[in-house]
Amino acid sequence: MVHPLPHTPTAGLLSPTPPAPPSPPPGNPNHPRAPRSGPRRPAPPPAVATVAGIAGGTRPPGRTPPTATPVPAGPRAPAAGLAKAIALTSGLPIVAVPTTYSGSEMTTVYGLTEGGLKRTARDPRVLPKTVIYDPELTLGLPPAVSAASGMNAIAHCVEALWGPRATPFTTACAVEGMRLLAAGLRGAVVRPLDAAARSDALGGAWLAGESFAAGGALHHTLCHVLGGRFDLPHAELHAALLPYVARFLMPAAPAAARRIAEALGTDDATAG
């Protein structure tokens, strides 16, 4: 048998019309409900700056970022670079959703271009708090953009093998990142709707970003100088320069050359 509960006053909890809150005592300006004089304080800024779009070193054509924020790479900035500039100057955290393969979202590196000069630095404040990788978001990425941004990531891996802060961890990330990128990009360029290939490419981009904790060297220095001076797109510049810089440096780094060739599945690392 179910017995009804005795009636208990609910103080507006269940009544249709809750009672009005008590009025502030007269003459007490510190009461939380006391009227306020003067201008209202502005609402606090949003807690999260969300990045969802083209990330890394590939600039969307025709997109112009707000001029009030330092522009990271010329008049049309990649979303990740712009978000890093915002995070650096405002302290807002970033939620990154990469849709290209540079791996920039996993690095503390940022660049600001002004007057034809690109300055780069590292700061943990620009590292996203959360990164979401979804291969389905990259299925519509054109083959040319897929290849160029992927070469940007491969450049991170290559230079990580002889970077000034290289460690066994960054080397392992670089080798596996190159292997995944080589397989994923070859599949994605030929079969753009191949979700498995896209997934490999994103996984390689993630590891490429992790590997770049080793730091950049000659190749990245050239890309930053030429890109800032002549307003060249970062990813395409990486793709064009990497074979020449690698061929120039590999005689002094034979162990790295062997790792690169094995990861790319070729006998000649610079022709992979």
Side-chain angles (χ1 to χ4, degrees):
M1 179 179 297
V2 178
H3 297 278
L5 293 175
H7 174 71
T8 303
T10 60
L13 182 62
L14 300 177
S15 57
T17 307
S23 301
N28 183 3
N30 297 321
H31 191 276
R33 294 192 57 80
R36 296 287 187 263
S37 59
R40 296 176 62 89
R41 287 187 295 180
V48 175
T50 301
V51 178
I54 298 180
T58 306
R59 297 182 300 184
R63 302 285 181 85
T64 303
T67 56
T69 303
V71 177
R76 298 182 307 280
L82 181 58
K84 286 182 173 184
I86 294 173
L88 184 68
T89 55
S90 70
L92 289 172
I94 303 170
V95 175
V97 186
T99 57
T100 62
Y101 305 125
S102 76
S104 172
E105 67 281 349
M106 294 304 299
T107 76
T108 60
V109 178
Y110 69 92
L112 299 176
T113 300
E114 184 178 1
L117 180 63
K118 182 172 183 177
R119 295 180 175 88
T120 61
R122 291 177 179 265
D123 194 306
R125 290 178 295 174
V126 306
L127 193 66
K129 302 300 181 184
T130 301
V131 180
I132 301 171
Y133 291 103
D134 185 350
E136 292 190 3
L137 297 179
T138 67
L139 295 180
L141 196 64
V145 180
S146 299
S149 65
M151 286 298 294
N152 189 352
I154 289 176
H156 293 155
C157 295
V158 169
E159 287 221 301
L161 296 179
W162 51 64
R165 293 179 296 276
T167 66
F169 173 75
T170 59
T171 295
C173 288
V175 172
E176 180 62 10
M178 277 187 286
R179 188 190 69 79
L180 287 172
L181 282 161
L185 292 174
R186 287 165 180 156
V189 169
V190 177
R191 304 179 302 278
L193 299 181
D194 187 337
R198 297 287 189 178
S199 182
D200 282 347
L202 278 177
W206 161 51
L207 291 173
E210 293 281 13
S211 75
F212 203 56
L218 176 62
H219 173 76
H220 273 78
T221 300
L222 289 173
C223 287
H224 292 154
V225 170
L226 295 175
R229 177 64 181 87
F230 299 106
D231 189 28
L232 300 174
H234 192 60
E236 287 83 351
L237 188 55
H238 273 290
L241 285 183
L242 183 60
Y244 299 98
V245 178
R247 187 175 294 276
F248 176 75
L249 292 175
M250 279 180 184
R258 287 193 300 271
R259 289 191 177 104
I260 295 169
E262 291 172 1
L264 299 180
T266 179
D267 294 331
D268 183 355
T270 60

